[in-house]
PDB file of all heavy atoms in Angstrom:
ATOM      1  N   HIS A  95     185.273  84.661 103.636  1.00 96.00           N
ATOM      2  CA  HIS A  95     184.352  84.420 104.747  1.00 96.00           C
ATOM      3  C   HIS A  95     184.171  82.913 104.988  1.00 96.00           C
ATOM      4  O   HIS A  95     184.178  82.453 106.128  1.00 96.00           O
ATOM      5  CB  HIS A  95     183.000  85.075 104.470  1.00 96.00           C
ATOM      6  CG  HIS A  95     183.103  86.492 103.995  1.00 96.00           C
ATOM      7  ND1 HIS A  95     183.620  87.510 104.772  1.00 96.00           N
ATOM      8  CD2 HIS A  95     182.780  87.056 102.795  1.00 96.00           C
ATOM      9  CE1 HIS A  95     183.595  88.646 104.079  1.00 96.00           C
ATOM     10  NE2 HIS A  95     183.095  88.393 102.878  1.00 96.00           N
ATOM     11  N   GLN A  96     184.020  82.161 103.896  1.00 96.00           N
ATOM     12  CA  GLN A  96     183.812  80.713 104.015  1.00 96.00           C
ATOM     13  C   GLN A  96     185.026  80.023 104.632  1.00 96.00           C
ATOM     14  O   GLN A  96     184.893  79.188 105.537  1.00 96.00           O
ATOM     15  CB  GLN A  96     183.507  80.118 102.632  1.00 96.00           C
ATOM     16  CG  GLN A  96     182.169  80.551 102.062  1.00 96.00           C
ATOM     17  CD  GLN A  96     182.021  80.188 100.593  1.00 96.00           C
ATOM     18  OE1 GLN A  96     183.012  80.037  99.862  1.00 96.00           O
ATOM     19  NE2 GLN A  96     180.784  80.034 100.137  1.00 96.00           N
ATOM     20  N   VAL A  97     186.211  80.368 104.154  1.00 96.00           N
ATOM     21  CA  VAL A  97     187.419  79.725 104.671  1.00 96.00           C
ATOM     22  C   VAL A  97     187.682  80.180 106.110  1.00 96.00           C
ATOM     23  O   VAL A  97     188.098  79.378 106.959  1.00 96.00           O
ATOM     24  CB  VAL A  97     188.627  80.019 103.765  1.00 96.00           C
ATOM     25  CG1 VAL A  97     189.908  79.450 104.365  1.00 96.00           C
ATOM     26  CG2 VAL A  97     188.392  79.438 102.369  1.00 96.00           C
ATOM     27  N   GLY A  98     187.429  81.453 106.400  1.00 95.00           N
ATOM     28  CA  GLY A  98     187.598  81.927 107.763  1.00 95.00           C
ATOM     29  C   GLY A  98     186.714  81.178 108.738  1.00 95.00           C
ATOM     30  O   GLY A  98     187.139  80.821 109.849  1.00 95.00           O
ATOM     31  N   ALA A  99     185.481  80.900 108.329  1.00 95.00           N
ATOM     32  CA  ALA A  99     184.571  80.148 109.193  1.00 95.00           C
ATOM     33  C   ALA A  99     185.019  78.697 109.324  1.00 95.00           C
ATOM     34  O   ALA A  99     184.994  78.112 110.413  1.00 95.00           O
ATOM     35  CB  ALA A  99     183.149  80.227 108.640  1.00 95.00           C
ATOM     36  N   ALA A 100     185.458  78.116 108.199  1.00 93.00           N
ATOM     37  CA  ALA A 100     185.834  76.691 108.202  1.00 93.00           C
ATOM     38  C   ALA A 100     187.030  76.424 109.109  1.00 93.00           C
ATOM     39  O   ALA A 100     187.047  75.448 109.865  1.00 93.00           O
ATOM     40  CB  ALA A 100     186.132  76.232 106.775  1.00 93.00           C
ATOM     41  N   VAL A 101     188.067  77.259 109.046  1.00 93.00           N
ATOM     42  CA  VAL A 101     189.267  76.987 109.848  1.00 93.00           C
ATOM     43  C   VAL A 101     189.016  77.179 111.342  1.00 93.00           C
ATOM     44  O   VAL A 101     189.764  76.672 112.181  1.00 93.00           O
ATOM     45  CB  VAL A 101     190.443  77.888 109.404  1.00 93.00           C
ATOM     46  CG1 VAL A 101     190.831  77.585 107.965  1.00 93.00           C
ATOM     47  CG2 VAL A 101     190.121  79.371 109.575  1.00 93.00           C
ATOM     48  N   GLN A 102     187.931  77.893 111.678  1.00 92.00           N
ATOM     49  CA  GLN A 102     187.584  78.079 113.093  1.00 92.00           C
ATOM     50  C   GLN A 102     186.530  77.088 113.566  1.00 92.00           C
ATOM     51  O   GLN A 102     186.258  76.994 114.768  1.00 92.00           O
ATOM     52  CB  GLN A 102     187.031  79.492 113.320  1.00 92.00           C
ATOM     53  CG  GLN A 102     187.993  80.613 113.023  1.00 92.00           C
ATOM     54  CD  GLN A 102     187.310  81.957 113.209  1.00 92.00           C
ATOM     55  OE1 GLN A 102     187.266  82.498 114.316  1.00 92.00           O
ATOM     56  NE2 GLN A 102     186.761  82.497 112.118  1.00 92.00           N
ATOM     57  N   GLY A 103     185.924  76.380 112.593  1.00 91.00           N
ATOM     58  CA  GLY A 103     184.797  75.524 112.949  1.00 91.00           C
ATOM     59  C   GLY A 103     183.610  76.347 113.407  1.00 91.00           C
ATOM     60  O   GLY A 103     182.823  75.915 114.256  1.00 91.00           O
ATOM     61  N   ALA A 104     183.483  77.569 112.831  1.00 92.00           N
ATOM     62  CA  ALA A 104     182.422  78.498 113.227  1.00 92.00           C
ATOM     63  C   ALA A 104     181.343  78.547 112.145  1.00 92.00           C
ATOM     64  O   ALA A 104     181.603  78.258 110.972  1.00 92.00           O
ATOM     65  CB  ALA A 104     183.003  79.891 113.452  1.00 92.00           C
ATOM     66  N   PRO A 105     180.125  78.921 112.510  1.00 93.00           N
ATOM     67  CA  PRO A 105     179.050  78.991 111.515  1.00 93.00           C
ATOM     68  C   PRO A 105     179.213  80.140 110.531  1.00 93.00           C
ATOM     69  O   PRO A 105     178.684  80.088 109.420  1.00 93.00           O
ATOM     70  CB  PRO A 105     177.788  79.178 112.369  1.00 93.00           C
ATOM     71  CG  PRO A 105     178.273  79.778 113.649  1.00 93.00           C
ATOM     72  CD  PRO A 105     179.625  79.186 113.873  1.00 93.00           C
ATOM     73  N   ALA A 106     179.928  81.201 110.919  1.00 94.00           N
ATOM     74  CA  ALA A 106     180.105  82.359 110.041  1.00 94.00           C
ATOM     75  C   ALA A 106     181.364  83.110 110.449  1.00 94.00           C
ATOM     76  O   ALA A 106     181.899  82.908 111.540  1.00 94.00           O
ATOM     77  CB  ALA A 106     178.890  83.281 110.119  1.00 94.00           C
ATOM     78  N   CYS A 107     181.826  83.962 109.549  1.00 94.00           N
ATOM     79  CA  CYS A 107     183.047  84.731 109.836  1.00 94.00           C
ATOM     80  C   CYS A 107     183.073  85.965 108.944  1.00 94.00           C
ATOM     81  O   CYS A 107     182.678  85.908 107.769  1.00 94.00           O
ATOM     82  CB  CYS A 107     184.285  83.875 109.556  1.00 94.00           C
ATOM     83  SG  CYS A 107     185.865  84.765 109.608  1.00 94.00           S
ATOM     84  N   ASN A 108     183.515  87.081 109.485  1.00 94.00           N
ATOM     85  CA  ASN A 108     183.778  88.276 108.685  1.00 94.00           C
ATOM     86  C   ASN A 108     185.232  88.209 108.245  1.00 94.00           C
ATOM     87  O   ASN A 108     186.149  88.541 109.001  1.00 94.00           O
ATOM     88  CB  ASN A 108     183.514  89.541 109.506  1.00 94.00           C
ATOM     89  CG  ASN A 108     183.735  90.808 108.686  1.00 94.00           C
ATOM     90  OD1 ASN A 108     184.263  90.775 107.569  1.00 94.00           O
ATOM     91  ND2 ASN A 108     183.328  91.936 109.236  1.00 94.00           N
ATOM     92  N   GLY A 109     185.439  87.756 107.014  1.00 95.00           N
ATOM     93  CA  GLY A 109     186.797  87.563 106.520  1.00 95.00           C
ATOM     94  C   GLY A 109     187.615  88.823 106.443  1.00 95.00           C
ATOM     95  O   GLY A 109     188.851  88.778 106.555  1.00 95.00           O
ATOM     96  N   TRP A 110     186.945  89.965 106.278  1.00 94.00           N
ATOM     97  CA  TRP A 110     187.668  91.227 106.161  1.00 94.00           C
ATOM     98  C   TRP A 110     188.425  91.569 107.439  1.00 94.00           C
ATOM     99  O   TRP A 110     189.492  92.191 107.389  1.00 94.00           O
ATOM    100  CB  TRP A 110     186.708  92.364 105.806  1.00 94.00           C
ATOM    101  CG  TRP A 110     186.166  92.278 104.416  1.00 94.00           C
ATOM    102  CD1 TRP A 110     184.894  91.938 104.044  1.00 94.00           C
ATOM    103  CD2 TRP A 110     186.884  92.518 103.199  1.00 94.00           C
ATOM    104  NE1 TRP A 110     184.765  91.958 102.683  1.00 94.00           N
ATOM    105  CE2 TRP A 110     185.972  92.320 102.139  1.00 94.00           C
ATOM    106  CE3 TRP A 110     188.188  92.887 102.905  1.00 94.00           C
ATOM    107  CZ2 TRP A 110     186.341  92.474 100.805  1.00 94.00           C
ATOM    108  CZ3 TRP A 110     188.565  93.048 101.563  1.00 94.00           C
ATOM    109  CH2 TRP A 110     187.643  92.839 100.540  1.00 94.00           C
ATOM    110  N   THR A 111     187.884  91.213 108.568  1.00 93.00           N
ATOM    111  CA  THR A 111     188.560  91.506 109.838  1.00 93.00           C
ATOM    112  C   THR A 111     189.332  90.308 110.382  1.00 93.00           C
ATOM    113  O   THR A 111     190.237  90.471 111.206  1.00 93.00           O
ATOM    114  CB  THR A 111     187.545  91.988 110.890  1.00 93.00           C
ATOM    115  OG1 THR A 111     186.505  91.004 111.033  1.00 93.00           O
ATOM    116  CG2 THR A 111     186.916  93.310 110.475  1.00 93.00           C
ATOM    117  N   PHE A 112     188.988  89.086 109.923  1.00 95.00           N
ATOM    118  CA  PHE A 112     189.662  87.885 110.427  1.00 95.00           C
ATOM    119  C   PHE A 112     191.038  87.712 109.787  1.00 95.00           C
ATOM    120  O   PHE A 112     192.027  87.413 110.464  1.00 95.00           O
ATOM    121  CB  PHE A 112     188.809  86.652 110.162  1.00 95.00           C
ATOM    122  CG  PHE A 112     189.451  85.364 110.606  1.00 95.00           C
ATOM    123  CD1 PHE A 112     189.476  85.021 111.950  1.00 95.00           C
ATOM    124  CD2 PHE A 112     190.027  84.491 109.687  1.00 95.00           C
ATOM    125  CE1 PHE A 112     190.073  83.837 112.372  1.00 95.00           C
ATOM    126  CE2 PHE A 112     190.617  83.314 110.091  1.00 95.00           C
ATOM    127  CZ  PHE A 112     190.639  82.983 111.444  1.00 95.00           C
ATOM    128  N   TRP A 113     191.120  87.896 108.443  1.00 96.00           N
ATOM    129  CA  TRP A 113     192.375  87.649 107.735  1.00 96.00           C
ATOM    130  C   TRP A 113     193.267  88.883 107.756  1.00 96.00           C
ATOM    131  O   TRP A 113     192.811  90.021 107.587  1.00 96.00           O
ATOM    132  CB  TRP A 113     192.100  87.227 106.291  1.00 96.00           C
ATOM    133  CG  TRP A 113     191.421  85.895 106.190  1.00 96.00           C
ATOM    134  CD1 TRP A 113     190.152  85.654 105.773  1.00 96.00           C
ATOM    135  CD2 TRP A 113     191.981  84.629 106.535  1.00 96.00           C
ATOM    136  NE1 TRP A 113     189.876  84.315 105.835  1.00 96.00           N
ATOM    137  CE2 TRP A 113     190.987  83.652 106.303  1.00 96.00           C
ATOM    138  CE3 TRP A 113     193.221  84.210 107.026  1.00 96.00           C
ATOM    139  CZ2 TRP A 113     191.187  82.306 106.527  1.00 96.00           C
ATOM    140  CZ3 TRP A 113     193.422  82.861 107.256  1.00 96.00           C
ATOM    141  CH2 TRP A 113     192.424  81.919 107.011  1.00 96.00           C
ATOM    142  N   HIS A 114     194.565  88.647 107.938  1.00 96.00           N
ATOM    143  CA  HIS A 114     195.554  89.714 108.042  1.00 96.00           C
ATOM    144  C   HIS A 114     196.692  89.484 107.040  1.00 96.00           C
ATOM    145  O   HIS A 114     196.998  88.342 106.670  1.00 96.00           O
ATOM    146  CB  HIS A 114     196.150  89.781 109.453  1.00 96.00           C
ATOM    147  CG  HIS A 114     195.198  90.280 110.492  1.00 96.00           C
ATOM    148  ND1 HIS A 114     194.021  89.630 110.795  1.00 96.00           N
ATOM    149  CD2 HIS A 114     195.267  91.371 111.304  1.00 96.00           C
ATOM    150  CE1 HIS A 114     193.391  90.306 111.753  1.00 96.00           C
ATOM    151  NE2 HIS A 114     194.124  91.352 112.080  1.00 96.00           N
ATOM    152  N   PHE A 115     197.303  90.566 106.601  1.00 95.00           N
ATOM    153  CA  PHE A 115     198.484  90.501 105.747  1.00 95.00           C
ATOM    154  C   PHE A 115     199.652  91.119 106.521  1.00 95.00           C
ATOM    155  O   PHE A 115     199.457  91.837 107.508  1.00 95.00           O
ATOM    156  CB  PHE A 115     198.256  91.236 104.421  1.00 95.00           C
ATOM    157  CG  PHE A 115     198.101  92.731 104.565  1.00 95.00           C
ATOM    158  CD1 PHE A 115     199.167  93.595 104.340  1.00 95.00           C
ATOM    159  CD2 PHE A 115     196.875  93.287 104.934  1.00 95.00           C
ATOM    160  CE1 PHE A 115     199.034  94.960 104.473  1.00 95.00           C
ATOM    161  CE2 PHE A 115     196.727  94.656 105.075  1.00 95.00           C
ATOM    162  CZ  PHE A 115     197.809  95.494 104.852  1.00 95.00           C
ATOM    163  N   GLU A 116     200.869  90.832 106.078  1.00 92.00           N
ATOM    164  CA  GLU A 116     202.046  91.407 106.721  1.00 92.00           C
ATOM    165  C   GLU A 116     202.306  92.789 106.141  1.00 92.00           C
ATOM    166  O   GLU A 116     202.599  92.947 104.957  1.00 92.00           O
ATOM    167  CB  GLU A 116     203.272  90.513 106.499  1.00 92.00           C
ATOM    168  CG  GLU A 116     203.197  89.178 107.216  1.00 92.00           C
ATOM    169  CD  GLU A 116     203.244  89.320 108.738  1.00 92.00           C
ATOM    170  OE1 GLU A 116     203.826  90.318 109.214  1.00 92.00           O
ATOM    171  OE2 GLU A 116     202.700  88.431 109.418  1.00 92.00           O
ATOM    172  N   GLY A 117     202.150  93.795 106.974  1.00 84.00           N
ATOM    173  CA  GLY A 117     202.374  95.166 106.531  1.00 84.00           C
ATOM    174  C   GLY A 117     203.308  95.888 107.473  1.00 84.00           C
ATOM    175  O   GLY A 117     203.936  95.277 108.343  1.00 84.00           O
ATOM    176  N   GLU A 118     203.409  97.189 107.288  1.00 79.00           N
ATOM    177  CA  GLU A 118     204.262  97.981 108.169  1.00 79.00           C
ATOM    178  C   GLU A 118     203.745  97.888 109.597  1.00 79.00           C
ATOM    179  O   GLU A 118     202.576  98.081 109.862  1.00 79.00           O
ATOM    180  CB  GLU A 118     204.253  99.455 107.726  1.00 79.00           C
ATOM    181  CG  GLU A 118     205.058  99.706 106.459  1.00 79.00           C
ATOM    182  CD  GLU A 118     205.155 101.196 106.179  1.00 79.00           C
ATOM    183  OE1 GLU A 118     205.193 101.974 107.158  1.00 79.00           O
ATOM    184  OE2 GLU A 118     205.178 101.563 105.003  1.00 79.00           O
ATOM    185  N   GLY A 119     204.646  97.536 110.491  1.00 78.00           N
ATOM    186  CA  GLY A 119     204.248  97.436 111.886  1.00 78.00           C
ATOM    187  C   GLY A 119     203.665  96.094 112.265  1.00 78.00           C
ATOM    188  O   GLY A 119     203.178  95.928 113.381  1.00 78.00           O
ATOM    189  N   GLY A 120     203.679  95.128 111.330  1.00 88.00           N
ATOM    190  CA  GLY A 120     203.174  93.807 111.672  1.00 88.00           C
ATOM    191  C   GLY A 120     201.926  93.435 110.902  1.00 88.00           C
ATOM    192  O   GLY A 120     201.688  93.930 109.798  1.00 88.00           O
ATOM    193  N   ARG A 121     201.135  92.544 111.465  1.00 92.00           N
ATOM    194  CA  ARG A 121     199.937  92.039 110.781  1.00 92.00           C
ATOM    195  C   ARG A 121     198.858  93.114 110.757  1.00 92.00           C
ATOM    196  O   ARG A 121     198.546  93.727 111.772  1.00 92.00           O
ATOM    197  CB  ARG A 121     199.415  90.783 111.467  1.00 92.00           C
ATOM    198  CG  ARG A 121     200.405  89.618 111.422  1.00 92.00           C
ATOM    199  CD  ARG A 121     199.766  88.342 111.985  1.00 92.00           C
ATOM    200  NE  ARG A 121     200.766  87.277 112.025  1.00 92.00           N
ATOM    201  CZ  ARG A 121     201.516  86.993 113.075  1.00 92.00           C
ATOM    202  NH1 ARG A 121     201.359  87.702 114.195  1.00 92.00           N
ATOM    203  NH2 ARG A 121     202.416  86.033 113.039  1.00 92.00           N
ATOM    204  N   ARG A 122     198.237  93.295 109.589  1.00 92.00           N
ATOM    205  CA  ARG A 122     197.176  94.301 109.420  1.00 92.00           C
ATOM    206  C   ARG A 122     195.974  93.621 108.783  1.00 92.00           C
ATOM    207  O   ARG A 122     196.117  92.795 107.872  1.00 92.00           O
ATOM    208  CB  ARG A 122     197.648  95.447 108.521  1.00 92.00           C
ATOM    209  CG  ARG A 122     199.011  96.019 108.891  1.00 92.00           C
ATOM    210  CD  ARG A 122     198.978  96.759 110.214  1.00 92.00           C
ATOM    211  NE  ARG A 122     198.122  97.908 110.170  1.00 92.00           N
ATOM    212  CZ  ARG A 122     198.477  99.098 109.662  1.00 92.00           C
ATOM    213  NH1 ARG A 122     199.718  99.250 109.148  1.00 92.00           N
ATOM    214  NH2 ARG A 122     197.655 100.118 109.684  1.00 92.00           N
ATOM    215  N   PRO A 123     194.755  93.960 109.181  1.00 93.00           N
ATOM    216  CA  PRO A 123     193.561  93.340 108.582  1.00 93.00           C
ATOM    217  C   PRO A 123     193.413  93.750 107.121  1.00 93.00           C
ATOM    218  O   PRO A 123     193.704  94.889 106.743  1.00 93.00           O
ATOM    219  CB  PRO A 123     192.415  93.869 109.444  1.00 93.00           C
ATOM    220  CG  PRO A 123     192.936  95.124 110.048  1.00 93.00           C
ATOM    221  CD  PRO A 123     194.400  94.904 110.262  1.00 93.00           C
ATOM    222  N   ILE A 124     192.959  92.812 106.303  1.00 95.00           N
ATOM    223  CA  ILE A 124     192.794  93.111 104.879  1.00 95.00           C
ATOM    224  C   ILE A 124     191.716  94.167 104.653  1.00 95.00           C
ATOM    225  O   ILE A 124     191.630  94.738 103.556  1.00 95.00           O
ATOM    226  CB  ILE A 124     192.481  91.839 104.068  1.00 95.00           C
ATOM    227  CG1 ILE A 124     191.200  91.164 104.557  1.00 95.00           C
ATOM    228  CG2 ILE A 124     193.656  90.869 104.112  1.00 95.00           C
ATOM    229  CD1 ILE A 124     190.754  89.997 103.683  1.00 95.00           C
ATOM    230  N   ASP A 125     190.903  94.443 105.659  1.00 93.00           N
ATOM    231  CA  ASP A 125     189.900  95.494 105.523  1.00 93.00           C
ATOM    232  C   ASP A 125     190.555  96.842 105.251  1.00 93.00           C
ATOM    233  O   ASP A 125     189.957  97.718 104.615  1.00 93.00           O
ATOM    234  CB  ASP A 125     189.040  95.577 106.787  1.00 93.00           C
ATOM    235  CG  ASP A 125     187.794  96.413 106.570  1.00 93.00           C
ATOM    236  OD1 ASP A 125     187.174  96.299 105.502  1.00 93.00           O
ATOM    237  OD2 ASP A 125     187.437  97.202 107.479  1.00 93.00           O
ATOM    238  N   LEU A 126     191.794  97.043 105.700  1.00 91.00           N
ATOM    239  CA  LEU A 126     192.506  98.285 105.411  1.00 91.00           C
ATOM    240  C   LEU A 126     192.743  98.448 103.907  1.00 91.00           C
ATOM    241  O   LEU A 126     192.711  99.561 103.375  1.00 91.00           O
ATOM    242  CB  LEU A 126     193.843  98.317 106.163  1.00 91.00           C
ATOM    243  CG  LEU A 126     193.778  98.396 107.695  1.00 91.00           C
ATOM    244  CD1 LEU A 126     195.176  98.371 108.282  1.00 91.00           C
ATOM    245  CD2 LEU A 126     193.042  99.653 108.123  1.00 91.00           C
ATOM    246  N   LEU A 127     193.008  97.327 103.228  1.00 94.00           N
ATOM    247  CA  LEU A 127     193.199  97.393 101.773  1.00 94.00           C
ATOM    248  C   LEU A 127     191.875  97.707 101.084  1.00 94.00           C
ATOM    249  O   LEU A 127     191.861  98.434 100.088  1.00 94.00           O
ATOM    250  CB  LEU A 127     193.750  96.051 101.278  1.00 94.00           C
ATOM    251  CG  LEU A 127     195.107  95.625 101.885  1.00 94.00           C
ATOM    252  CD1 LEU A 127     195.520  94.262 101.343  1.00 94.00           C
ATOM    253  CD2 LEU A 127     196.178  96.665 101.587  1.00 94.00           C
ATOM    254  N   ARG A 128     190.776  97.167 101.626  1.00 92.00           N
ATOM    255  CA  ARG A 128     189.458  97.491 101.046  1.00 92.00           C
ATOM    256  C   ARG A 128     189.177  98.989 101.189  1.00 92.00           C
ATOM    257  O   ARG A 128     188.675  99.631 100.246  1.00 92.00           O
ATOM    258  CB  ARG A 128     188.365  96.684 101.743  1.00 92.00           C
ATOM    259  CG  ARG A 128     186.969  97.010 101.223  1.00 92.00           C
ATOM    260  CD  ARG A 128     185.911  96.070 101.743  1.00 92.00           C
ATOM    261  NE  ARG A 128     185.736  96.113 103.192  1.00 92.00           N
ATOM    262  CZ  ARG A 128     184.662  95.629 103.815  1.00 92.00           C
ATOM    263  NH1 ARG A 128     183.710  95.042 103.105  1.00 92.00           N
ATOM    264  NH2 ARG A 128     184.572  95.681 105.119  1.00 92.00           N
ATOM    265  N   GLN A 129     189.498  99.563 102.360  1.00 88.00           N
ATOM    266  CA  GLN A 129     189.278 100.990 102.547  1.00 88.00           C
ATOM    267  C   GLN A 129     190.152 101.812 101.612  1.00 88.00           C
ATOM    268  O   GLN A 129     189.751 102.885 101.151  1.00 88.00           O
ATOM    269  CB  GLN A 129     189.557 101.362 104.008  1.00 88.00           C
ATOM    270  CG  GLN A 129     188.589 100.773 105.010  1.00 88.00           C
ATOM    271  CD  GLN A 129     187.160 101.166 104.743  1.00 88.00           C
ATOM    272  OE1 GLN A 129     186.887 102.269 104.269  1.00 88.00           O
ATOM    273  NE2 GLN A 129     186.225 100.265 105.011  1.00 88.00           N
ATOM    274  N   GLN A 130     191.329 101.309 101.309  1.00 89.00           N
ATOM    275  CA  GLN A 130     192.227 101.998 100.379  1.00 89.00           C
ATOM    276  C   GLN A 130     191.618 102.050  98.990  1.00 89.00           C
ATOM    277  O   GLN A 130     191.701 103.070  98.288  1.00 89.00           O
ATOM    278  CB  GLN A 130     193.577 101.281 100.358  1.00 89.00           C
ATOM    279  CG  GLN A 130     194.648 101.985  99.538  1.00 89.00           C
ATOM    280  CD  GLN A 130     195.998 101.276  99.672  1.00 89.00           C
ATOM    281  OE1 GLN A 130     196.302 100.663 100.675  1.00 89.00           O
ATOM    282  NE2 GLN A 130     196.794 101.355  98.599  1.00 89.00           N
ATOM    283  N   VAL A 131     190.994 100.953  98.566  1.00 91.00           N
ATOM    284  CA  VAL A 131     190.334 100.912  97.256  1.00 91.00           C
ATOM    285  C   VAL A 131     189.169 101.893  97.240  1.00 91.00           C
ATOM    286  O   VAL A 131     188.973 102.649  96.289  1.00 91.00           O
ATOM    287  CB  VAL A 131     189.851  99.496  96.928  1.00 91.00           C
ATOM    288  CG1 VAL A 131     188.995  99.492  95.672  1.00 91.00           C
ATOM    289  CG2 VAL A 131     191.041  98.551  96.759  1.00 91.00           C
ATOM    290  N   ARG A 132     188.351 101.890  98.306  1.00 85.00           N
ATOM    291  CA  ARG A 132     187.203 102.800  98.369  1.00 85.00           C
ATOM    292  C   ARG A 132     187.648 104.249  98.292  1.00 85.00           C
ATOM    293  O   ARG A 132     186.979 105.072  97.644  1.00 85.00           O
ATOM    294  CB  ARG A 132     186.442 102.557  99.682  1.00 85.00           C
ATOM    295  CG  ARG A 132     185.492 101.369  99.654  1.00 85.00           C
ATOM    296  CD  ARG A 132     184.593 101.359 100.851  1.00 85.00           C
ATOM    297  NE  ARG A 132     183.628 100.283 100.767  1.00 85.00           N
ATOM    298  CZ  ARG A 132     183.384  99.424 101.754  1.00 85.00           C
ATOM    299  NH1 ARG A 132     184.033  99.536 102.912  1.00 85.00           N
ATOM    300  NH2 ARG A 132     182.482  98.474 101.602  1.00 85.00           N
TER     301      ARG A 132
END
């Protein structure tokens, strides 16, 4: 969250939806991996 906000110059950021990994079909939000763990 901190790095996501910093690179945008924003006061806050939801890192789970901002950051993406390379998965099947292209970039996917890391929140999908969190849901997989849950």
Side-chain angles (χ1 to χ4, degrees):
H95 313 296
Q96 292 168 335
V97 175
V101 297
Q102 298 177 86
C107 171
N108 182 350
W110 290 107
T111 56
F112 178 77
W113 293 112
H114 290 61
F115 67 98
E116 292 293 333
E118 286 187 33
R121 297 186 184 93
R122 312 292 296 279
I124 59 173
D125 194 41
L126 293 178
L127 300 178
R128 178 171 63 163
Q129 293 302 327
Q130 186 175 331
V131 172
R132 279 191 176 131

